[in-house]
Amino acid sequence: MYILKGHSLWGIPIPNDASWVIRKFLKLRDICQGWIRYCIGDGEDTFLWIDNWHPLGALYKQFDDSIVTNRGRALRAKVSSIIVQGNWRWPRQRSQVMMAVMRHTPENFLPNPLTKDKVIWTLSPDGCYSIKTAWEACRHRCSFQHWHLLVWFSQNVPRWSFILWLAILERLSTKDRIAKWGISINPVCVLCMACEESHAYLFFDCQFSAIIWSRVLRKNNISRGPFSLHQELIWASAQRKGKSFCSTVYKLSLAATSYFLWGERNMRIFQNKSRDVDGLVAAILDAIRAKLCSFNSVKFSCLNRQICDDWLLSSRVFRINNG
């Protein structure tokens, strides 16, 4: 995996005709080279100047190209070229660079010619590569988001949660974003035909979406009017943050409403089709009820019994108590 047509992965230039994936992969080399270390056996599989085998690290990074030019060695030279009978064989003509390399080579740092070179993943205690350790090392960590459990929870519908997540991050291709890309487009919201479309307006400042969300809130026995999406998240983080059946129904309602509103918007733009308020609310409530019908371990309580009655759910959703 670390040899490409006889060259080291760390030394090859990025080809202009390479795929996007290959180019992105090669651009990560400077980040991850320190995570991979080579334990020298016979030195046949490790590149002398480019691979991370020496206590100094990759030698070309420490001394630039001068170390290669001064010693007249090609970049494809292997560590085996300086090993003789289990010891290092340093060049007789020693530059200041080579003297520095020798100085930083501990006496007990010796090859083992009876074994093959071994690649060690330094981020794992056992030296073996794992996707988890690689991801934890290279991912960009953001601040904790109070709303994450409102979007990602065990009973979520992935496609609903995904659209809600994009809406929260303002990453959906709303008309205001498309206009910023230099594309000429009618900026008016197709749901109400009153104001310019944006994430904040679509969820739920738009009169059409506000009515939809109000109707869904009433189904959840929440009598207040709709908030904007971010205000809704703040409210829900305090009032519906748990794992209760009531909280789960609310989370599904918020995700489903966001998903169906975005779908309605796209259907009007791309298919020239539309549903009125009653039709869209019915579709949202039917989808939520279908999801709730799959539950079979709801704890019985008077509140949960009332929720089941409101959503026309059978008693099969309740946990069976065999004791």
Side-chain angles (χ1 to χ4, degrees):
M1 291 185 61
Y2 57 93
I3 303 294
L4 299 178
K5 295 183 178 179
H7 296 272
S8 170
L9 171 65
W10 315 112
I12 64 169
I14 300 177
N16 293 328
D17 58 347
S19 68
W20 179 88
V21 173
I22 294 298
R23 285 186 281 110
K24 284 290 185 181
F25 176 75
L26 293 177
K27 286 180 180 179
L28 292 173
R29 289 178 294 182
D30 288 340
I31 298 176
C32 65
Q33 186 173 14
W35 305 339
I36 301 173
R37 191 163 190 84
Y38 299 81
C39 183
I40 301 302
D42 58 14
E44 293 289 345
D45 298 324
T46 305
F47 287 93
L48 174 60
W49 307 112
I50 300 177
D51 288 341
N52 180 22
W53 65 275
H54 194 271
L56 288 175
L59 297 179
Y60 86 98
K61 282 192 172 183
Q62 297 293 328
F63 305 104
D64 301 322
D65 293 337
S66 60
I67 191 169
V68 179
T69 303
N70 292 346
R71 300 277 32 98
R73 298 178 184 275
L75 288 176
R76 294 173 64 178
K78 300 295 183 67
V79 176
S80 59
S81 64
I82 61 168
I83 297 175
V84 174
Q85 296 180 352
N87 291 292
W88 304 115
R89 183 188 66 183
W90 304 108
R92 293 180 180 178
Q93 296 179 353
R94 296 169 183 171
S95 66
Q96 291 183 353
V97 169
M98 187 55 65
M99 292 295 292
V101 174
M102 294 171 60
R103 230 178 11 253
H104 288 87
T105 304
E107 292 184 2
N108 60 351
F109 182 73
L110 295 171
N112 183 3
L114 299 180
T115 63
K116 301 296 290 183
D117 297 346
K118 182 180 179 181
V119 181
I120 297 176
W121 181 252
T122 61
L123 300 180
S124 296
D126 60 0
C128 296
Y129 172 79
S130 71
I131 294 176
K132 179 182 179 180
T133 56
W135 170 244
E136 290 294 337
C138 69
R139 74 186 181 101
H140 175 68
R141 291 182 176 273
C142 297
S143 58
F144 177 81
Q145 300 297 332
H146 64 87
W147 45 259
H148 75 285
L149 292 178
L150 300 174
V151 179
W152 309 112
F153 53 100
S154 58
Q155 298 92 351
N156 80 87
V157 178
R159 64 180 183 274
W160 299 355
S161 293
F162 182 67
I163 294 299
L164 175 58
W165 178 58
L166 292 180
I168 294 170
L169 297 178
E170 299 188 356
R171 291 294 185 269
L172 293 171
S173 297
T174 51
K175 290 185 176 182
D176 63 325
R177 292 194 71 210
I178 294 175
K180 291 179 181 178
W181 301 337
I183 301 174
S184 178
I185 189 171
N186 182 355
V188 176
C189 173
V190 294
L191 298 182
C192 66
M193 303 302 294
C195 296
E196 293 186 2
E197 180 186 276
S198 66
H199 283 87
Y201 187 73
L202 197 59
F203 309 98
F204 300 101
D205 290 342
C206 165
Q207 184 179 5
F208 182 87
S209 63
I211 294 173
I212 298 294
W213 182 229
S214 295
R215 297 267 292 270
V216 177
L217 284 174
R218 283 202 298 271
K219 189 69 173 178
N220 282 266
N221 289 316
I222 299 174
S223 57
R224 62 166 174 82
F227 296 145
S228 67
L229 179 57
H230 286 284
Q231 287 297 320
E232 196 72 44
L233 295 174
I234 294 173
W235 179 88
S237 295
Q239 303 295 328
R240 295 292 187 271
K241 63 181 180 180
K243 297 181 180 180
S244 68
F245 188 45
C246 179
S247 296
T248 300
V249 174
Y250 170 86
K251 295 174 189 178
L252 289 171
S253 298
L254 179 61
T257 302
S258 302
Y259 175 82
F260 277 89
L261 279 173
W262 183 246
E264 178 69 19
R265 177 260 191 198
N266 289 338
M267 189 169 65
R268 294 188 180 197
I269 293 175
F270 300 112
Q271 300 180 30
N272 198 28
K273 297 179 181 179
S274 64
R275 288 172 287 193
D276 59 14
V277 170
D278 291 337
L280 186 54
V281 169
I284 294 171
L285 298 183
D286 286 347
I288 298 170
R289 182 179 180 277
K291 174 62 179 177
L292 295 176
C293 285
S294 67
F295 287 23
N296 59 12
S297 59
V298 176
K299 183 179 179 180
F300 183 84
S301 69
C302 293
L303 175 60
N304 291 346
R305 177 72 267 179
Q306 182 60 50
I307 293 173
C308 288
D309 291 342
D310 293 340
W311 288 90
L312 303 178
L313 304 176
S314 73
S315 59
R316 287 178 295 182
V317 302
F318 292 112
R319 183 186 309 154
I320 298 176
N321 189 352
N322 294 322

CSV table of all heavy atoms in Angstrom, one decimal, residues 212-254:
chain,number,residue,atom,x,y,z
A,212,ILE,N,-48.1,24.7,9.0
A,212,ILE,CA,-47.8,23.3,9.0
A,212,ILE,C,-47.3,22.9,10.4
A,212,ILE,O,-47.8,21.9,11.0
A,212,ILE,CB,-46.9,22.9,7.9
A,212,ILE,CG1,-47.4,23.2,6.5
A,212,ILE,CG2,-46.5,21.4,8.1
A,212,ILE,CD1,-48.6,22.4,6.2
A,213,TRP,N,-46.3,23.6,10.9
A,213,TRP,CA,-45.7,23.2,12.1
A,213,TRP,C,-46.6,23.4,13.3
A,213,TRP,O,-46.6,22.7,14.3
A,213,TRP,CB,-44.4,24.0,12.3
A,213,TRP,CG,-43.6,23.7,13.6
A,213,TRP,CD1,-43.1,24.6,14.4
A,213,TRP,CD2,-43.2,22.4,14.1
A,213,TRP,NE1,-42.4,24.0,15.5
A,213,TRP,CE2,-42.5,22.6,15.3
A,213,TRP,CE3,-43.4,21.1,13.7
A,213,TRP,CZ2,-42.0,21.6,16.0
A,213,TRP,CZ3,-42.9,20.0,14.4
A,213,TRP,CH2,-42.2,20.3,15.6
A,214,SER,N,-47.4,24.5,13.2
A,214,SER,CA,-48.4,24.7,14.3
A,214,SER,C,-49.4,23.5,14.4
A,214,SER,O,-49.7,23.1,15.5
A,214,SER,CB,-49.2,26.0,14.0
A,214,SER,OG,-48.4,27.1,14.1
A,215,ARG,N,-49.8,23.0,13.3
A,215,ARG,CA,-50.7,21.9,13.3
A,215,ARG,C,-50.1,20.6,13.9
A,215,ARG,O,-50.7,19.8,14.6
A,215,ARG,CB,-51.3,21.6,11.8
A,215,ARG,CG,-52.0,22.7,11.2
A,215,ARG,CD,-53.5,22.6,11.5
A,215,ARG,NE,-54.1,21.4,10.7
A,215,ARG,CZ,-54.6,21.5,9.5
A,215,ARG,NH1,-54.6,22.7,8.8
A,215,ARG,NH2,-55.0,20.4,8.9
A,216,VAL,N,-48.8,20.4,13.5
A,216,VAL,CA,-48.1,19.3,14.1
A,216,VAL,C,-47.8,19.4,15.5
A,216,VAL,O,-47.9,18.5,16.3
A,216,VAL,CB,-46.8,19.1,13.3
A,216,VAL,CG1,-46.0,17.9,13.9
A,216,VAL,CG2,-47.0,18.8,11.8
A,217,LEU,N,-47.6,20.7,16.0
A,217,LEU,CA,-47.4,20.9,17.4
A,217,LEU,C,-48.7,20.6,18.2
A,217,LEU,O,-48.6,20.0,19.3
A,217,LEU,CB,-47.0,22.4,17.6
A,217,LEU,CG,-45.5,22.8,17.3
A,217,LEU,CD1,-45.4,24.3,17.5
A,217,LEU,CD2,-44.6,22.0,18.3
A,218,ARG,N,-49.8,21.0,17.6
A,218,ARG,CA,-51.1,20.7,18.3
A,218,ARG,C,-51.3,19.2,18.4
A,218,ARG,O,-51.9,18.7,19.4
A,218,ARG,CB,-52.2,21.4,17.6
A,218,ARG,CG,-52.3,22.9,17.8
A,218,ARG,CD,-53.7,23.4,17.5
A,218,ARG,NE,-54.1,23.2,16.1
A,218,ARG,CZ,-53.9,24.0,15.1
A,218,ARG,NH1,-53.2,25.2,15.4
A,218,ARG,NH2,-54.3,23.8,13.9
A,219,LYS,N,-50.9,18.4,17.4
A,219,LYS,CA,-51.0,17.0,17.5
A,219,LYS,C,-50.1,16.5,18.7
A,219,LYS,O,-50.4,15.4,19.3
A,219,LYS,CB,-50.5,16.4,16.2
A,219,LYS,CG,-50.8,14.9,16.1
A,219,LYS,CD,-52.3,14.6,16.0
A,219,LYS,CE,-52.6,13.1,15.8
A,219,LYS,NZ,-54.0,12.8,15.7
A,220,ASN,N,-49.1,17.2,19.0
A,220,ASN,CA,-48.2,16.8,20.2
A,220,ASN,C,-48.7,17.5,21.5
A,220,ASN,O,-48.0,17.4,22.5
A,220,ASN,CB,-46.8,17.3,19.9
A,220,ASN,CG,-46.0,16.4,18.9
A,220,ASN,OD1,-45.3,15.5,19.4
A,220,ASN,ND2,-46.2,16.6,17.7
A,221,ASN,N,-49.9,18.0,21.5
A,221,ASN,CA,-50.5,18.7,22.7
A,221,ASN,C,-49.6,19.9,23.1
A,221,ASN,O,-49.5,20.1,24.3
A,221,ASN,CB,-50.7,17.7,23.8
A,221,ASN,CG,-51.8,16.7,23.5
A,221,ASN,OD1,-52.9,17.2,23.0
A,221,ASN,ND2,-51.6,15.5,23.8
A,222,ILE,N,-49.0,20.6,22.2
A,222,ILE,CA,-48.2,21.8,22.5
A,222,ILE,C,-49.0,22.9,21.9
A,222,ILE,O,-49.2,23.1,20.7
A,222,ILE,CB,-46.8,21.7,21.9
A,222,ILE,CG1,-46.0,20.5,22.5
A,222,ILE,CG2,-46.1,23.0,22.1
A,222,ILE,CD1,-44.7,20.3,21.8
A,223,SER,N,-49.6,23.8,22.7
A,223,SER,CA,-50.5,24.8,22.3
A,223,SER,C,-49.9,26.1,21.9
A,223,SER,O,-50.6,26.9,21.3
A,223,SER,CB,-51.5,25.1,23.4
A,223,SER,OG,-50.8,25.5,24.6
A,224,ARG,N,-48.6,26.3,22.1
A,224,ARG,CA,-48.0,27.5,21.7
A,224,ARG,C,-47.8,27.6,20.2
A,224,ARG,O,-47.9,26.7,19.5
A,224,ARG,CB,-46.6,27.6,22.4
A,224,ARG,CG,-45.6,26.5,21.9
A,224,ARG,CD,-44.2,26.8,22.3
A,224,ARG,NE,-43.3,25.7,22.0
A,224,ARG,CZ,-42.8,25.5,20.8
A,224,ARG,NH1,-43.1,26.3,19.8
A,224,ARG,NH2,-42.0,24.4,20.6
A,225,GLY,N,-47.5,28.8,19.7
A,225,GLY,CA,-47.2,29.0,18.3
A,225,GLY,C,-45.8,28.5,17.9
A,225,GLY,O,-45.0,28.2,18.8
A,226,PRO,N,-45.5,28.5,16.6
A,226,PRO,CA,-44.2,28.0,16.2
A,226,PRO,C,-43.1,29.0,16.5
A,226,PRO,O,-43.3,30.2,16.3
A,226,PRO,CB,-44.4,27.8,14.7
A,226,PRO,CG,-45.5,28.8,14.3
A,226,PRO,CD,-46.4,28.9,15.5
A,227,PHE,N,-41.9,28.5,16.8
A,227,PHE,CA,-40.7,29.3,16.9
A,227,PHE,C,-39.9,29.2,15.6
A,227,PHE,O,-40.2,28.3,14.8
A,227,PHE,CB,-39.8,28.8,18.1
A,227,PHE,CG,-40.5,29.0,19.4
A,227,PHE,CD1,-40.2,28.1,20.4
A,227,PHE,CD2,-41.3,30.1,19.7
A,227,PHE,CE1,-40.8,28.2,21.7
A,227,PHE,CE2,-41.9,30.2,21.0
A,227,PHE,CZ,-41.6,29.3,21.9
A,228,SER,N,-38.9,30.0,15.4
A,228,SER,CA,-37.9,29.7,14.4
A,228,SER,C,-37.2,28.4,14.7
A,228,SER,O,-37.2,28.0,15.9
A,228,SER,CB,-36.9,30.9,14.3
A,228,SER,OG,-36.1,30.9,15.4
A,229,LEU,N,-36.6,27.8,13.7
A,229,LEU,CA,-35.9,26.5,14.0
A,229,LEU,C,-34.9,26.6,15.1
A,229,LEU,O,-34.9,25.7,16.0
A,229,LEU,CB,-35.3,26.0,12.7
A,229,LEU,CG,-34.5,24.7,12.8
A,229,LEU,CD1,-35.5,23.6,13.2
A,229,LEU,CD2,-33.9,24.3,11.4
A,230,HIS,N,-34.1,27.6,15.1
A,230,HIS,CA,-33.1,27.6,16.2
A,230,HIS,C,-33.7,27.9,17.6
A,230,HIS,O,-33.2,27.3,18.6
A,230,HIS,CB,-32.0,28.7,15.8
A,230,HIS,CG,-31.1,28.2,14.7
A,230,HIS,ND1,-30.1,27.3,14.9
A,230,HIS,CD2,-31.0,28.5,13.4
A,230,HIS,CE1,-29.4,27.1,13.8
A,230,HIS,NE2,-30.0,27.8,12.9
A,231,GLN,N,-34.7,28.7,17.6
A,231,GLN,CA,-35.4,28.9,18.9
A,231,GLN,C,-36.2,27.6,19.3
A,231,GLN,O,-36.2,27.3,20.5
A,231,GLN,CB,-36.4,30.0,18.8
A,231,GLN,CG,-35.8,31.4,18.7
A,231,GLN,CD,-35.1,31.7,20.0
A,231,GLN,OE1,-35.5,31.4,21.1
A,231,GLN,NE2,-33.9,32.3,19.9
A,232,GLU,N,-36.6,26.9,18.3
A,232,GLU,CA,-37.3,25.6,18.6
A,232,GLU,C,-36.3,24.6,19.2
A,232,GLU,O,-36.6,23.9,20.1
A,232,GLU,CB,-37.8,25.0,17.3
A,232,GLU,CG,-38.9,23.9,17.4
A,232,GLU,CD,-40.2,24.4,18.0
A,232,GLU,OE1,-40.7,25.4,17.5
A,232,GLU,OE2,-40.8,23.7,18.9
A,233,LEU,N,-35.1,24.6,18.7
A,233,LEU,CA,-34.0,23.7,19.3
A,233,LEU,C,-33.7,24.1,20.7
A,233,LEU,O,-33.5,23.2,21.5
A,233,LEU,CB,-32.8,23.8,18.4
A,233,LEU,CG,-32.9,23.3,17.0
A,233,LEU,CD1,-31.7,23.5,16.2
A,233,LEU,CD2,-33.3,21.8,16.9
A,234,ILE,N,-33.6,25.4,21.0
A,234,ILE,CA,-33.4,25.8,22.4
A,234,ILE,C,-34.5,25.4,23.3
A,234,ILE,O,-34.2,24.9,24.4
A,234,ILE,CB,-33.2,27.4,22.4
A,234,ILE,CG1,-31.9,27.8,21.6
A,234,ILE,CG2,-33.1,27.8,23.8
A,234,ILE,CD1,-31.8,29.3,21.5
A,235,TRP,N,-35.7,25.6,22.9
A,235,TRP,CA,-36.9,25.1,23.7
A,235,TRP,C,-36.9,23.6,23.9
A,235,TRP,O,-37.0,23.1,25.0
A,235,TRP,CB,-38.2,25.6,23.0
A,235,TRP,CG,-39.4,25.1,23.7
A,235,TRP,CD1,-40.1,25.8,24.7
A,235,TRP,CD2,-40.1,23.9,23.6
A,235,TRP,NE1,-41.1,25.1,25.2
A,235,TRP,CE2,-41.2,23.9,24.5
A,235,TRP,CE3,-40.0,22.8,22.7
A,235,TRP,CZ2,-42.1,22.9,24.6
A,235,TRP,CZ3,-40.9,21.8,22.8
A,235,TRP,CH2,-42.0,21.8,23.7
A,236,ALA,N,-36.7,22.9,22.8
A,236,ALA,CA,-36.7,21.4,22.9
A,236,ALA,C,-35.5,20.9,23.7
A,236,ALA,O,-35.7,19.8,24.4
A,236,ALA,CB,-36.7,20.8,21.5
A,237,SER,N,-34.4,21.5,23.7
A,237,SER,CA,-33.2,21.1,24.4
A,237,SER,C,-33.5,21.1,25.9
A,237,SER,O,-33.0,20.4,26.7
A,237,SER,CB,-32.0,21.9,24.1
A,237,SER,OG,-31.6,21.7,22.8
A,238,ALA,N,-34.4,22.0,26.3
A,238,ALA,CA,-34.8,22.1,27.7
A,238,ALA,C,-36.1,21.3,28.1
A,238,ALA,O,-36.2,20.7,29.1
A,238,ALA,CB,-35.1,23.6,28.1
A,239,GLN,N,-37.0,21.2,27.1
A,239,GLN,CA,-38.3,20.6,27.4
A,239,GLN,C,-38.4,19.1,26.8
A,239,GLN,O,-39.3,18.4,27.3
A,239,GLN,CB,-39.4,21.4,26.8
A,239,GLN,CG,-39.4,22.8,27.3
A,239,GLN,CD,-39.7,22.9,28.8
A,239,GLN,OE1,-40.5,22.1,29.3
A,239,GLN,NE2,-39.1,23.9,29.4
A,240,ARG,N,-37.7,18.8,25.8
A,240,ARG,CA,-37.8,17.5,25.2
A,240,ARG,C,-36.5,16.8,24.9
A,240,ARG,O,-36.3,16.1,23.9
A,240,ARG,CB,-38.6,17.6,23.8
A,240,ARG,CG,-40.0,18.1,23.9
A,240,ARG,CD,-40.9,17.1,24.5
A,240,ARG,NE,-42.3,17.5,24.5
A,240,ARG,CZ,-42.9,18.2,25.4
A,240,ARG,NH1,-42.2,18.7,26.5
A,240,ARG,NH2,-44.2,18.5,25.3
A,241,LYS,N,-35.6,16.9,25.9
A,241,LYS,CA,-34.2,16.4,25.7
A,241,LYS,C,-34.1,14.9,26.1
A,241,LYS,O,-33.1,14.3,25.8
A,241,LYS,CB,-33.2,17.2,26.5
A,241,LYS,CG,-33.4,17.2,28.0
A,241,LYS,CD,-32.4,18.1,28.7
A,241,LYS,CE,-32.6,18.1,30.2
A,241,LYS,NZ,-31.6,18.9,30.9
A,242,GLY,N,-35.1,14.4,26.8
A,242,GLY,CA,-34.9,13.0,27.3
A,242,GLY,C,-35.3,11.9,26.3
A,242,GLY,O,-35.5,12.2,25.1
A,243,LYS,N,-35.4,10.7,26.9
A,243,LYS,CA,-35.8,9.6,26.0
A,243,LYS,C,-37.2,9.1,26.2
A,243,LYS,O,-37.6,8.0,25.8
A,243,LYS,CB,-34.8,8.4,26.4
A,243,LYS,CG,-33.3,8.7,26.1
A,243,LYS,CD,-32.5,7.5,26.4
A,243,LYS,CE,-31.0,7.8,26.1
A,243,LYS,NZ,-30.1,6.6,26.4
A,244,SER,N,-38.0,9.9,26.9
A,244,SER,CA,-39.4,9.5,27.1
A,244,SER,C,-40.1,9.4,25.8
A,244,SER,O,-39.7,9.9,24.7
A,244,SER,CB,-40.1,10.6,28.0
A,244,SER,OG,-40.2,11.8,27.3
A,245,PHE,N,-41.3,8.7,25.8
A,245,PHE,CA,-42.1,8.5,24.6
A,245,PHE,C,-42.6,9.9,24.1
A,245,PHE,O,-42.6,10.2,22.9
A,245,PHE,CB,-43.3,7.6,25.0
A,245,PHE,CG,-44.1,7.2,23.8
A,245,PHE,CD1,-43.5,6.8,22.6
A,245,PHE,CD2,-45.5,7.3,23.8
A,245,PHE,CE1,-44.3,6.4,21.5
A,245,PHE,CE2,-46.3,6.9,22.8
A,245,PHE,CZ,-45.7,6.5,21.6
A,246,CYS,N,-42.9,10.8,25.0
A,246,CYS,CA,-43.4,12.1,24.6
A,246,CYS,C,-42.3,12.9,23.9
A,246,CYS,O,-42.5,13.5,22.9
A,246,CYS,CB,-43.8,12.9,25.9
A,246,CYS,SG,-44.3,14.6,25.6
A,247,SER,N,-41.0,12.8,24.4
A,247,SER,CA,-39.9,13.5,23.7
A,247,SER,C,-39.6,12.9,22.4
A,247,SER,O,-39.3,13.6,21.4
A,247,SER,CB,-38.7,13.4,24.6
A,247,SER,OG,-38.9,14.1,25.8
A,248,THR,N,-39.7,11.5,22.3
A,248,THR,CA,-39.4,10.9,21.0
A,248,THR,C,-40.4,11.3,20.0
A,248,THR,O,-40.1,11.5,18.8
A,248,THR,CB,-39.4,9.3,21.2
A,248,THR,OG1,-38.4,9.0,22.2
A,248,THR,CG2,-39.2,8.6,19.9
A,249,VAL,N,-41.7,11.3,20.3
A,249,VAL,CA,-42.7,11.7,19.4
A,249,VAL,C,-42.5,13.2,18.9
A,249,VAL,O,-42.6,13.4,17.7
A,249,VAL,CB,-44.1,11.6,20.0
A,249,VAL,CG1,-45.2,12.2,19.1
A,249,VAL,CG2,-44.4,10.2,20.4
A,250,TYR,N,-42.1,14.0,19.8
A,250,TYR,CA,-41.8,15.4,19.4
A,250,TYR,C,-40.6,15.4,18.4
A,250,TYR,O,-40.6,16.1,17.4
A,250,TYR,CB,-41.5,16.3,20.6
A,250,TYR,CG,-40.9,17.6,20.2
A,250,TYR,CD1,-41.7,18.7,19.9
A,250,TYR,CD2,-39.5,17.8,20.1
A,250,TYR,CE1,-41.2,19.9,19.5
A,250,TYR,CE2,-39.0,19.1,19.7
A,250,TYR,CZ,-39.9,20.1,19.4
A,250,TYR,OH,-39.4,21.3,19.0
A,251,LYS,N,-39.5,14.7,18.7
A,251,LYS,CA,-38.3,14.7,17.9
A,251,LYS,C,-38.7,14.2,16.5
A,251,LYS,O,-38.2,14.7,15.5
A,251,LYS,CB,-37.2,13.8,18.5
A,251,LYS,CG,-36.7,14.3,19.8
A,251,LYS,CD,-35.7,13.3,20.4
A,251,LYS,CE,-35.3,13.7,21.8
A,251,LYS,NZ,-34.4,12.7,22.4
A,252,LEU,N,-39.5,13.1,16.4
A,252,LEU,CA,-39.9,12.6,15.1
A,252,LEU,C,-40.7,13.6,14.4
A,252,LEU,O,-40.6,13.8,13.2
A,252,LEU,CB,-40.7,11.3,15.3
A,252,LEU,CG,-39.9,10.1,15.7
A,252,LEU,CD1,-40.8,8.9,16.1
A,252,LEU,CD2,-38.9,9.6,14.6
A,253,SER,N,-41.6,14.3,15.1
A,253,SER,CA,-42.4,15.3,14.5
A,253,SER,C,-41.6,16.5,13.9
A,253,SER,O,-41.9,16.9,12.8
A,253,SER,CB,-43.4,15.9,15.5
A,253,SER,OG,-44.2,14.9,16.0
A,254,LEU,N,-40.6,16.9,14.6
A,254,LEU,CA,-39.8,18.0,14.1
A,254,LEU,C,-39.0,17.6,12.9
A,254,LEU,O,-38.9,18.3,11.9
A,254,LEU,CB,-38.8,18.5,15.2
A,254,LEU,CG,-37.8,19.6,14.8
A,254,LEU,CD1,-38.5,20.9,14.4
A,254,LEU,CD2,-36.8,19.9,16.0
